[in-house]
Amino acid sequence: MPGRDWVVAKFGGTSVSTRARWETIARITAAHQAQGRRVLLVVSALAGVTDLLKRIAENGSDEAACRMAQDEIAARHRALHAELGLARANALDGWLSRLDQLVDDSRRAACALAWQAEVFALGELMSSTLGAAFLCAQGVQTQWLDARECLLAHPLANQGAWARHLSASVPAAPDAAFAAALAARGDIFITQGFIARNPAGETVLLGRGGSDTSAGCFGAMLKAACVEIWTDVPGMFSANPRIVPDARLLVRLDYEEAQEIATTGAKVLHPRSLGPLRRAGVPLVIRDTHRPALAGTEIRAAAPDAAPCVKAISARKGVTLVSMETVGMWQQVGFLADVFEQFRKHGLSVDLIGSAETNVTVSLDPSENLVNSDVLSALAADLARICRVKVIAPCAAITLVGRGMRALLHRLSGVLAEFGALDVHLISQSSNNLNLTFVIDEGLADDLLPRLHALLIHADALRVEDGAVFGPSWRQLGRDAASAAEPAWWRRERTRLLALASEQSPRYVYSLDAVRTQARALVRSGSPGPVDRWHYALKANPHPAILRTLHEEGFAFECVSLAEVEAVRATLPGLAPERILFTPNFAPRAEYAAALAAGVRVTLDALHPLRHWGELFGGRDVHLRIDLGVGRGHHDKVRTGGAGSKFGVALDDIDAFRALAQACGARIVGLHAHLGSGILEPDHWRSVYVQLASLAEGMDAIESLDVGGGLGVPSRPDEQPLDLAELGASLAEVKRAYPRFALWMEPGRFLVADAGVLLARVTQTKRKGHVQYVGIDAGMNSLIRPALYEAWHGIVNLTRLDEPDAAMVQVVGPICETGDVLGANRRLPECREGDVLLIAQAGAYGAAMASRYNLREPAPEVVL
Ligand code: LLP
């Protein structure tokens, strides 16, 4: 049927990594089809696969590293193949053998650019192949299309070899012949993002964010009715919502504004995708895969009557300024040419420019330049011959974006006053009248943004009441998502908590009901749950009442010290010792000996114990903790995998471990991996499970696979809770592929974090300069997480729970450390001496990590 509209829908890495996500893609495609549209799906590689391919592409000389990455890539795709329930023979095998050939290829050693492009391309070729097979199996008849047949890259003047192969440009424009030829072949296609061909017929890549670029090209060539970018956030916002939770969803932008926002900071959309669409007049919408009911951000041509208005405030960090001073510049012909010649020579593209009689200052944007100290000192040395040079870094460029910026200046006095109080290095107003940029020291940016956002609203420059442009705030969207959830238990228990605090302060309070609720939610996830055995990692909170509660809920226990083993045995004397899993790291020999003697299960995470204390392990069953090569988690200090971490046996050493075990007569009955703590992506454990299962297949005695703990809980208002149903479903899929191994997990934080609060009283308040402090009687000796990990704990004034928020304050403790800050930049009602503040989510790693620093006793614990 000619004349039917095309829709191009692009899905990124996380959106194509699980069966649940592919089911969403099938639903979206079928809905378009039902409305009579033709659909072209553009997909990225599975999440994490491009990084694995990069390990091959950039380490050509290290064959072992390439092979390891190759195995991991094969395992990832085979697991998704199994999860999707696809038939055995599949085109996937063809791509996997192509990968094998590329690793064997003689071009590998030199990491030839054309070879690299072919290696990278396999990620998208494989994901689209699996997707095509799955969609067909679901009854959505989808044809697989090789993007390299359609997108032809043109080398640009001045483009180096690297960019020609790995960051190529496709000059896409409406192509009726192409659209007609495709329509003649069918209605629904799936193709790859990120890849194209060059005039020589070689595979080339479209650079960072290349799948967005591909979607833009296809949208323009097909003159689609619409391009949809499906992602993990609701759209573009009026500021980075992680820094400004009150940022508003932008429901409508014109191409130029969207381009400006994407270029000056927002990471949601690659700016390169918009050019071809603007020229072809094709609209683009950004949609949230989790919340398909939200309209998202729509980008199209400017309405003719668009009134001047600020749409967003963005920030780019890592900006370097180069200030050049000369007395001789004034009206001297060719000075700027001489200066810019030096930048060209060092391959640096200049972003912003400010000039005065005796000074020119320019900025270098880190995303467009390789700005390192070598390049900068070489540049400075060359410039020093023509002027005095000063390099100012790190800076942040704060940009107000909106159409008709110059007509808004009279509204910006409050904003200008804020900047006036700071040391502004450079101000630039773009000649397209779309942006106004201030460059300041980088450290000031995060505090400034929320204030500026509020001032812009106050000044009526950011007209958030205009529902045609601005949607709900990020905070509101988070609340909507959480509104199904119960209010926190401590709100119901306010009176009791205030009474407890008046008896003694500071004080930790735990709710066993809250522990039980979390335990049941977890155990029932994906009912019947795929996990055969749950361990509680008691390092999070070893309080005896909590141990007893979780024992009643059917949990076994994971311990990291002999003292933890003894605490469990003392609290639960009837517990079978094999329900205790001992997972120490660099523990002394005596702890292993005692644990084995007690009949506790033991996990080894190094060769040393078998090599030097082999006699301890003769005739014993042991579990092996493996480092899968990457760490995950909420902070660097809690990532327990990868080269920087002291945990686990490296993949390379597994054979040596097995040989040592065999030599001393130990049986390896379990594999274990725990890669970090505070993880909120439900996909993580599935990926660990798949990797452990494929390793276990090559070993004869493995009975259980322990995929660790690390289940995160949202702490900031904008974070989404772990999707337990998705977690359960993704684990169940792997279980179906590997039914013979029992699946174990060992969460700590998830079970207890929200079950505990820290109550503290206000001791003193103080204003110093512009900063307002609220001092409390609990410090970092009671709760070290904010100081150690920059962890964010919600804080409320329990005494004045219903009063409106007043000033922004710093909540600090009494410890002699500048880092003794429990909450920075919090809005609380006016706090008075004696008020009770409640610090939320303190049940995990709170009391457990407390100390007597300054000889202040940490807060004692009480159970409701
Ligand atoms: N299994 C092993 C081997 C572990 O090392 C850990 C935590 C867990 C399980 C439990 O992880 P969870 O489910 O609680 O995330 N003090 C840090 C967290 C350190 C976690 C140490 N290992 C914090 O306060 O964020």
Side-chain angles (χ1 to χ4, degrees):
M1 202 200 303
R4 269 167 56 192
D5 283 340
W6 282 98
V7 170
V8 175
K10 177 249 160 177
F11 294 87
T14 48
S15 304
V16 297
S17 293
T18 61
R19 183 185 174 108
R21 295 302 188 90
W22 276 106
E23 284 167 352
T24 306
I25 297 177
R27 270 197 303 278
I28 291 170
T29 311
H32 281 309
Q33 191 184 23
Q35 302 208 341
R37 301 196 191 103
R38 298 194 160 96
V39 184
L40 175 64
L41 301 168
V42 177
V43 294
S44 301
L46 310 193
V49 164
T50 300
D51 285 343
L52 288 168
L53 289 164
K54 187 170 172 183
R55 278 200 228 155
I56 299 179
E58 292 179 0
N59 284 304
S61 55
D62 181 351
E63 177 163 4
C66 291
R67 289 291 173 203
M68 226 157 77
Q70 182 191 345
D71 290 348
E72 208 173 325
I73 291 165
R76 283 285 313 274
H77 288 86
R78 292 233 159 85
L80 180 60
H81 183 270
E83 190 183 337
L84 295 176
L86 299 175
R88 260 273 160 260
N90 187 282
L92 176 65
D93 290 334
W95 296 124
L96 289 174
S97 41
R98 181 72 196 126
L99 178 60
D100 196 48
Q101 285 164 10
L102 284 170
V103 177
D104 265 340
D105 196 312
S106 60
R107 294 174 297 168
R108 190 195 73 222
C111 295
L113 292 169
W115 169 84
Q116 288 194 35
E118 285 184 53
V119 169
F120 277 113
L122 283 171
E124 277 71 14
L125 289 165
M126 291 193 284
S127 63
S128 57
T129 297
L130 289 175
F134 177 74
L135 293 170
C136 289
Q138 298 298 104
V140 183
Q141 284 317 315
T142 307
Q143 300 187 51
W144 185 85
L145 182 70
D146 192 328
R148 297 168 298 182
E149 284 173 26
C150 318
L151 301 186
L152 176 62
H154 279 239
L156 304 177
N158 285 336
Q159 200 174 29
W162 179 87
R164 263 184 287 127
H165 283 98
L166 304 182
S167 190
S169 311
V170 173
D175 182 343
F178 170 71
L182 204 58
R185 281 169 62 182
D187 290 342
I188 302 182
F189 294 85
I190 184 167
T191 193
Q192 308 77 41
F194 189 46
I195 67 173
R197 75 173 192 284
N198 65 13
E202 295 168 309
T203 301
V204 296
L205 306 180
L206 302 182
R208 212 166 39 93
S211 293
D212 287 351
T213 309
S214 303
C217 292
F218 277 111
M221 287 162 65
L222 293 170
K223 203 153 175 23
C226 179
V227 170
E228 298 177 341
I229 303 286
W230 289 89
T231 158
D232 284 347
V233 290
M236 285 180 149
F237 281 82
S238 58
N240 180 346
R242 290 180 200 285
I243 298 168
V244 187
D246 287 321
R248 296 299 201 95
L249 179 66
L250 292 161
V251 293
R252 180 66 213 278
L253 288 171
D254 64 52
Y255 294 114
E256 290 80 7
E257 290 167 333
Q259 176 93 33
E260 204 72 29
I261 296 172
T263 315
T264 57
K267 298 272 185 316
V268 190
L269 181 70
H270 196 274
R272 270 213 217 171
S273 57
L274 284 169
L277 297 177
R278 187 187 66 232
R279 289 188 290 273
V282 172
L284 177 142
V285 284
I286 302 168
R287 307 281 302 270
D288 185 344
T289 328
H290 296 295
R291 287 180 269 186
L294 285 179
T297 299
E298 184 184 8
I299 300 166
R300 50 168 68 238
D305 59 345
C309 160
V310 176
K311 299 287 171 60
I313 172 159
S314 53
R316 268 170 302 163
K317 293 194 180 168
V319 169
T320 298
L321 284 186
V322 183
S323 154
M324 294 157 284
E325 199 85 38
T326 171
V327 276
M329 173 189 163
W330 177 237
Q331 291 184 340
Q332 187 184 306
V333 173
F335 174 73
L336 287 178
D338 291 347
V339 163
F340 287 126
E341 171 56 22
Q342 304 308 316
F343 286 87
R344 196 187 64 79
K345 177 174 155 201
H346 292 280
L348 295 168
S349 100
V350 165
D351 185 24
L352 306 167
I353 304 173
S355 81
E357 185 179 332
T358 59
N359 175 290
V360 190
T361 299
V362 303
S363 78
L364 302 172
D365 181 337
S367 60
E368 299 301 329
N369 285 300
L370 182 68
V371 189
N372 60 32
S373 47
D374 290 351
V375 174
L376 283 177
S377 34
L379 171 76
D382 283 345
L383 284 171
R385 292 197 209 105
I386 35 180
C387 55
R388 262 204 318 275
V389 192
K390 194 164 115 199
V391 173
I392 308 169
C395 295
I398 311 281
T399 301
L400 312 188
V401 181
R403 193 161 279 288
M405 191 59 68
R406 284 192 280 269
L408 285 167
L409 288 175
H410 65 292
R411 295 197 185 277
L412 300 182
S413 58
V415 169
L416 296 175
E418 276 290 318
F419 280 112
L422 306 171
D423 191 8
V424 176
H425 300 301
L426 176 71
I427 300 179
S428 142
Q429 205 268 315
S430 67
S431 43
N432 62 7
N433 205 9
L434 272 168
N435 89 42
L436 179 60
T437 298
F438 300 82
V439 181
I440 56 171
D441 287 342
E442 188 181 272
L444 301 172
D446 285 359
D447 277 355
L448 186 63
L449 280 178
R451 280 209 302 278
L452 290 180
H453 192 267
L455 280 169
L456 286 168
I457 295 176
H458 188 70
D460 207 23
L462 199 95
R463 297 199 193 96
V464 292
E465 70 292 340
D466 179 357
V469 175
F470 296 98
S473 70
W474 177 262
R475 198 193 293 277
Q476 184 61 44
L477 287 165
R479 266 195 222 124
D480 292 350
S483 62
E486 290 267 292
W489 61 269
W490 46 261
R491 289 193 184 269
R492 293 192 303 271
E493 298 285 0
R494 177 177 173 218
T495 319
R496 248 168 113 189
L497 292 175
L498 286 171
L500 282 170
S502 66
E503 270 167 23
Q504 187 178 19
S505 174
R507 161 168 235 196
Y508 276 104
V509 186
Y510 302 137
S511 156
L512 297 180
D513 281 346
V515 174
R516 240 181 256 285
T517 307
Q518 281 296 87
R520 290 181 187 172
L522 197 55
V523 171
R524 285 183 196 150
S525 57
S527 53
V531 178
D532 298 289
R533 180 156 151 169
W534 291 99
H535 301 82
Y536 169 51
L538 59 134
K539 59 183 87 55
N541 188 332
H543 193 285
I546 290 181
L547 300 187
R548 279 193 291 271
T549 304
L550 288 168
H551 175 58
E552 284 162 21
E553 294 298 318
F555 277 69
F557 296 91
E558 188 258 341
C559 303
V560 283
S561 67
L562 195 59
E564 284 192 356
V565 173
E566 282 160 1
V568 175
R569 298 182 74 206
T571 308
L572 302 164
L575 185 75
E578 74 88 29
R579 306 261 312 150
I580 300 178
L581 178 63
F582 182 45
T583 315
N585 172 248
F586 290 102
R589 172 183 173 133
E591 292 200 15
Y592 293 88
L596 288 166
V600 162
R601 290 176 177 271
V602 172
T603 303
L604 299 179
D605 86 333
L607 304 184
H608 187 110
L610 290 177
R611 189 175 276 152
H612 299 284
W613 321 325
E615 65 280 12
L616 281 185
F617 300 98
R620 299 286 192 170
D621 290 349
V622 294
H623 297 248
L624 162 61
R625 176 169 181 177
I626 297 174
D627 176 357
L628 294 173
V630 284
R632 297 268 181 265
H634 70 81
H635 188 274
D636 268 346
K637 292 198 173 95
V638 303
R639 295 184 190 133
T640 51
S645 120
K646 66 182 179 131
F647 299 93
V649 168
L651 289 165
D652 279 349
D653 290 332
I654 295 180
D655 288 342
F657 185 94
R658 293 176 68 188
L660 285 168
Q662 192 173 25
C664 65
R667 231 164 52 103
I668 308 171
V669 295
L671 296 184
H672 170 277
H674 169 85
L675 303 186
S677 189
I679 303 165
L680 285 168
E681 298 83 38
D683 242 21
H684 163 73
W685 295 273
R686 187 189 57 91
S687 131
V688 170
Y689 190 7
V690 166
Q691 293 177 70
L692 290 185
S694 62
L695 288 167
E697 280 206 307
M699 301 169 74
D700 38 0
I702 304 294
E703 293 159 7
S704 65
L705 303 177
D706 184 337
V707 297
L711 290 82
V713 285
S715 47
R716 292 174 184 268
D718 54 290
E719 284 172 344
Q720 299 295 318
L722 202 53
D723 185 335
L724 292 184
E726 191 172 337
L727 171 67
S730 69
L731 295 177
E733 289 292 339
V734 186
K735 187 75 174 281
R736 281 199 275 284
Y738 299 97
R740 66 194 165 95
F741 305 119
L743 172 61
W744 293 4
M745 288 189 85
E746 48 189 39
R749 179 194 319 271
F750 186 88
L751 295 159
V752 292
D754 283 308
V757 296
L758 174 58
L759 303 179
R761 275 176 175 282
V762 174
T763 53
Q764 307 183 21
T765 61
K766 152 155 77 181
R767 182 168 198 90
K768 212 179 89 179
H770 294 301
V771 185
Q772 178 73 40
Y773 293 95
V774 172
I776 55 175
D777 57 7
M780 64 193 286
N781 64 314
S782 288
L783 182 66
I784 200 171
R785 301 191 70 253
L788 195 55
Y789 315 119
E790 281 125 27
W792 198 95
H793 288 258
I795 301 181
V796 297
N797 184 330
L798 202 60
T799 309
R800 302 174 200 282
L801 201 50
D802 305 316
E803 290 180 24
D805 287 346
M808 177 92 87
V809 300
Q810 315 300 314
V811 179
V812 297
I815 299 295
C816 290
E817 293 271 342
T818 301
D820 186 24
V821 178
L822 284 308
N825 302 326
R826 301 307 176 89
R827 280 214 189 270
L828 293 176
E830 189 76 39
C831 294
R832 314 247 167 83
E833 183 185 340
D835 281 359
V836 177
L837 298 199
L838 176 148
I839 303 179
Q841 213 166 58
Y845 306 107
M849 294 177 77
S851 76
R852 295 184 64 231
Y853 186 36
N854 286 186
L855 292 188
R856 288 194 185 275
E857 292 301 326
E861 303 165 274
V862 55
V863 174
L864 282 186

